[in-house]
């Protein structure tokens, strides 16, 4: 090992060679920058040799010198590599929060891209030639789809809750059923948001049962709001009862100074129950029942960009639009573009163009067909994989419809040399990363969330991994 280390040329010798000059020219680097990278490369190689895990060419050879530069090039490339990148979601969880929830459809992306590259009428009225409001853009579509009088869009649903409580209930009381004081994935706690907003939480009822009289007996002069929080990510089973939206609307109507607000969490605009999926109420139905205000996420069941949508009574929404926080929590033109195109798909009844909706309602037969194709192609290419088609379940994800299991087919993959964990690691480290599931020592691929183009990429990745070609050398 000492001999190997001795054979590594010193930096000052490397610096004055044609090879070094070619390296800096190719990489468009200054002499100093080039030196820095070569130094870093040599020091990493030294470390590998010392730790006995250098499997490159022997020091002293021409190939070793090449290895120094290849390494330095890689280091240079890494410095400019972006952090956010594409991931193939082969987990079958449609709204995977860690993988960025909803993906957007092609027409939505096109609209976003057009808007991003140009000046826009974001806050400009073209007809009158004067200043306009960014709140107008998605509002018309939201109202048409939900039946609400007015609407606005903020950064996400957590922001919507915060704005509503701050603007309408600061230093006043908000009555919430104890059974609905939940923590939602990504550390969203209704009670904490309420505290931050300055509203006073008035918990009523018990964890499993809350009755109408629990609300009624707590309404006083200081009450600003009755709030219902949709139980997105958990279910209380057994001896339970909660108060219906309709009854709470009825109660609130008796008091002029009290607003009835529902945090819907997901906010479905599409009726998934007609496919037998979940029991998510339609936003339209909650508005029809007479809720003064509702809020919901843009990137949960709706399948759009991250956003919080507020819809309801015009006078109440106008108060929110004028509040200072509306400026703090406002969204940009790209979010509005993505949201409005997603909403347009609903209006035109072309929900199949929304990948999240499509992913949730996909039939298992179609997934089976796609899986069989991939398996056949894989068998043709490589014999070191043992593949099998198994029945399984996919999830909606994003903290929505936790009890719902979507029937699916899974490709179970085993490799003759790698464990399922090693195989998964290699898939994750591939470009693009592929995220699957592991169950009982089997790697499971769920094509519910995989496009046909991505199916080809998975095939290529499996091929490369099995042939031992390093993914680093790709692209
Ligand atoms: C998800 C959720 C939120 C937070 O929404 P984000 O858009 O993720 O900020 C708030 N309330 C409920 C009931 C939710 O389910």
């Amino acid at each position: 090992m000492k001999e190997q280390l001795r054979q590594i040329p010193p930096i000052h010798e490397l610096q004055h060679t044609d090879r070094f000059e070619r390296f800096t020219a190719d990489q468009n680097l200054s002499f100093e920058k080039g030196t820095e990278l070569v130094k870093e490369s040599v020091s990493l190689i030294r470390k590998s040799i010392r730790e006995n895990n250098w499997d490159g060419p022997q020091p002293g050879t021409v190939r070793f010198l090449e290895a120094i530069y290849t390494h330095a090039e890689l280091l240079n490339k890494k410095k400019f590599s972006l952090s956010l990148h594409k991931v193939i979601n082969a987990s079958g969880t449609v709204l995977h929060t860690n993988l960025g929830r909803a993906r957007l459809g092609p027409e939505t992306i096109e609209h976003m891209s057009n808007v991003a590259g140009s000046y826009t009428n974001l806050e400009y009225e073209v007809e009158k030639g004067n200043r306009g409001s960014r709140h107008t853009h998605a509002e018309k579509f939201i109202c048409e789809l939900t039946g609400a009088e007015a609407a606005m869009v903020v950064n996400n649903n957590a922001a919507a809750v915060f704005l509503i409580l701050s603007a309408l209930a600061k230093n006043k009381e908000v009555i919430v059923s104890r059974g609905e004081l939940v923590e939602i994935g990504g550390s969203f706690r209704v009670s904490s948001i309420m505290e931050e907003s300055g509203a006073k939480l008035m918990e009523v009822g018990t964890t499993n049962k809350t009755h109408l009289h629990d609300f009624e007996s707590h309404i006083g002069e200081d009450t600003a709001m009755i709030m219902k929080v949709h139980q997105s990510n958990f279910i209380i089973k057994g001896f339970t009862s909660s108060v219906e939206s309709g009854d709470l609307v009825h109660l609130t109507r008796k008091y002029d100074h009290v607003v009835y607000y529902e945090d819907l969490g997901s906010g479905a605009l599409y009726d998934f129950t007609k496919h037998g999926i979940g029991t998510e109420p339609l936003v339209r139905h909650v508005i029809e029942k007479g809720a003064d205000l509702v809020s919901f996420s843009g990137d949960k069941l709706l399948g759009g960009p991250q956003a919080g949508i507020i819809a309801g009574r015009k006078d109440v929404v106008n108060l929110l639009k004028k509040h200072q926080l509306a400026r703090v929590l406002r969204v940009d033109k790209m979010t509005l573009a993505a949201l409005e195109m997603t909403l347009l798909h609903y209006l035109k009844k072309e929900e199949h163009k929304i990948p999240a909706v499509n992913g949730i309602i996909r039939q298992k037969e179609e997934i089976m067909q796609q899986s069989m194709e991939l398996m056949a192609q894989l068998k043709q290419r490589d014999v070191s994989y043992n593949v099998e088609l198994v029945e399984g379940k996919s999830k909606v994800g994003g903290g929505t419809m936790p009890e719902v299991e979507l029937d699916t087919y899974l490709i179970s993959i085993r490799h003759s040399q790698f464990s399922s964990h090693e195989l998964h690691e290699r898939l994750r480290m591939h470009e693009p990363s592929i995220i699957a599931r592991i169950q009982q020592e089997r790697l499971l691929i769920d094509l519910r969330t995989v496009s046909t183009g991505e199916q080809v990429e998975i095939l290529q990745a499996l091929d490369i991994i099995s042939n031992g070609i390093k993914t680093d050398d790709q692209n």
Side-chain angles (χ1 to χ4, degrees):
M1 183 212 295
K2 280 217 172 105
E3 183 48 32
Q4 276 183 314
L5 290 171
R6 236 195 310 275
Q7 291 279 332
I8 299 176
I11 304 296
H12 65 86
E13 260 177 40
L14 287 168
Q15 263 174 339
H16 301 286
T17 60
D18 290 348
R19 184 63 186 88
F20 181 84
E21 214 166 286
R22 189 148 53 84
F23 165 67
T24 51
D26 283 353
Q27 301 289 308
N28 198 14
L29 297 164
S30 66
F31 183 82
E32 289 75 22
K33 204 76 203 151
T35 305
E36 207 177 282
L37 284 165
V38 168
K39 246 188 205 165
E40 204 178 331
S41 166
V42 168
S43 125
L44 285 171
I45 294 173
R46 275 183 180 281
K47 187 162 173 274
S48 296
I49 294 175
R50 254 185 262 113
E51 288 169 0
N52 245 333
N53 51 27
W54 173 247
D55 57 2
Q58 283 310 307
T61 62
V62 179
R63 283 183 57 227
F64 179 77
L65 284 179
E66 274 312 304
I68 293 177
Y69 290 104
T70 313
H71 223 70
E73 275 173 30
L74 210 65
L75 289 169
N76 192 33
K77 203 170 102 185
K78 270 191 188 153
K79 286 203 172 135
F80 294 105
S81 69
L82 295 167
S83 162
L84 205 54
H85 58 80
K86 171 190 168 134
V87 159
I88 293 179
N89 175 9
S91 74
T93 300
V94 183
L95 299 168
H96 201 301
T97 301
N98 301 143
L99 304 184
R101 288 197 188 152
R103 73 153 114 191
L104 305 171
E107 288 174 43
T108 300
I109 295 162
E110 199 192 335
H111 186 41
M112 268 177 96
S113 145
N114 284 338
V115 154
S118 340
Y119 293 103
T120 62
N121 61 336
L122 182 65
E123 290 187 354
Y124 186 80
E125 287 192 40
V126 181
E127 297 85 356
K128 294 182 191 150
N130 55 22
R131 193 200 158 126
S133 157
R134 75 176 63 210
H135 292 308
T136 56
H137 295 291
E139 183 169 24
K140 202 179 71 188
F141 288 170
I142 298 168
C143 291
E144 204 154 327
L145 287 163
T146 63
E149 288 172 7
M152 70 186 286
V153 182
V154 290
N155 192 45
N156 54 18
N157 189 30
V161 177
F162 185 60
L163 171 62
I164 289 167
L165 292 172
S166 308
L168 307 175
K170 195 172 191 143
N171 300 322
K172 296 200 186 128
E173 285 171 5
V174 177
I175 308 180
V176 188
S177 159
R178 212 164 248 127
E180 294 172 358
L181 286 172
V182 296
E183 175 167 325
I184 290 140
S187 64
F188 174 83
R189 240 183 227 184
V190 176
S191 52
S192 311
I193 294 256
M194 184 113 35
E195 202 176 306
E196 287 294 328
S197 73
K200 282 181 257 176
L201 173 64
M202 174 71 75
E203 302 175 37
V204 297
T206 60
T207 306
N208 62 333
K209 282 204 172 205
T210 305
H211 305 280
L212 191 62
H213 61 78
D214 292 321
F215 286 93
E216 190 151 25
S217 61
H218 283 88
I219 295 182
E221 259 176 38
D222 279 344
T223 308
M225 185 183 292
I226 291 181
M227 178 180 180
K228 190 175 178 69
V229 185
H230 196 76
Q231 299 174 351
S232 306
N233 60 349
F234 73 106
I235 0 169
I236 298 178
K237 280 196 170 145
F239 188 59
T240 67
S241 75
S242 62
V243 184
E244 280 296 313
S245 309
D247 293 334
L248 287 173
V249 166
H250 213 73
L251 174 65
T252 315
R253 290 260 162 95
K254 292 194 224 162
Y255 303 89
D256 275 347
H257 65 294
V258 183
V259 166
Y260 178 59
Y261 160 48
E262 281 198 26
D263 171 11
L264 292 172
S266 251
L269 296 180
Y270 178 82
D271 189 6
F272 291 98
T273 62
K274 74 179 180 201
H275 300 270
I277 300 170
T279 54
E280 201 65 27
L282 284 173
V283 178
R284 167 173 287 282
H285 287 167
V286 181
I287 296 281
E288 271 167 9
K289 279 185 186 168
D292 295 315
L293 216 52
V294 299
S295 74
F296 49 98
S297 285
D299 57 351
K300 287 187 182 171
L301 285 180
L302 197 148
Q306 179 192 300
I309 297 161
I310 300 171
R313 250 169 58 192
K314 194 167 187 141
D315 59 331
V316 184
V317 174
N318 275 344
L319 275 177
L320 299 175
K321 283 180 182 170
K322 286 192 199 120
H323 196 272
Q324 271 301 307
L325 271 177
R327 172 67 179 78
V328 176
L329 305 171
R330 77 182 188 186
V331 291
D332 74 332
K333 58 182 178 176
M334 285 178 285
T335 300
L336 285 169
L339 183 63
E340 87 167 332
M341 184 55 91
T342 308
L343 294 171
L344 186 59
H345 287 323
Y346 282 104
L347 268 182
K348 289 182 166 175
K349 301 245 173 290
E350 44 186 41
E351 289 92 349
H352 60 278
K353 291 188 176 171
I354 305 166
V357 175
N358 209 32
I360 295 168
I361 61 179
R362 276 188 86 184
Q363 295 291 306
K364 64 172 180 179
E365 289 75 20
E366 189 192 321
I367 298 166
M368 178 173 79
Q369 200 62 40
Q370 201 185 338
S371 305
M372 304 251 278
E373 245 167 62
L374 195 148
M375 286 165 67
Q377 284 167 320
L378 190 63
K379 274 180 195 155
Q380 258 179 16
R381 285 184 185 218
D382 199 292
V383 287
S384 11
Y385 289 109
N386 186 329
V387 289
E388 205 185 331
L389 189 69
V390 294
E391 284 193 72
K393 306 282 181 193
S394 332
K395 292 213 147 270
V396 175
T400 62
M401 307 209 255
E403 79 282 23
V404 170
E405 294 196 307
L406 306 164
D407 289 329
T408 195
Y409 280 95
L410 304 161
I411 307 173
S412 157
I413 305 184
R414 261 184 285 218
H415 192 270
S416 51
Q417 282 156 51
F418 308 125
S419 74
S420 56
H421 286 274
E422 277 170 321
L423 186 55
H424 197 201
E425 188 187 345
R426 275 159 211 257
L427 285 168
R428 288 198 317 268
M429 297 308 289
H430 185 77
E431 242 183 75
S433 297
I434 298 165
I435 315 295
R437 286 193 238 166
I438 289 187
Q439 226 169 55
Q440 296 165 342
E441 273 308 304
R442 291 186 306 184
L443 183 97
L444 299 174
I445 287 188
D446 188 342
L447 294 185
R448 175 178 293 282
T449 41
V450 174
S451 70
T452 38
E454 290 170 339
Q455 187 179 319
V456 177
E457 290 179 289
I458 293 179
L459 208 56
Q460 284 166 346
L462 288 168
D463 218 4
I464 288 167
I465 289 167
S466 188
N467 289 320
I469 302 164
K470 278 205 193 113
T471 50
D472 289 353
D473 301 339
Q474 288 284 297
N475 66 76

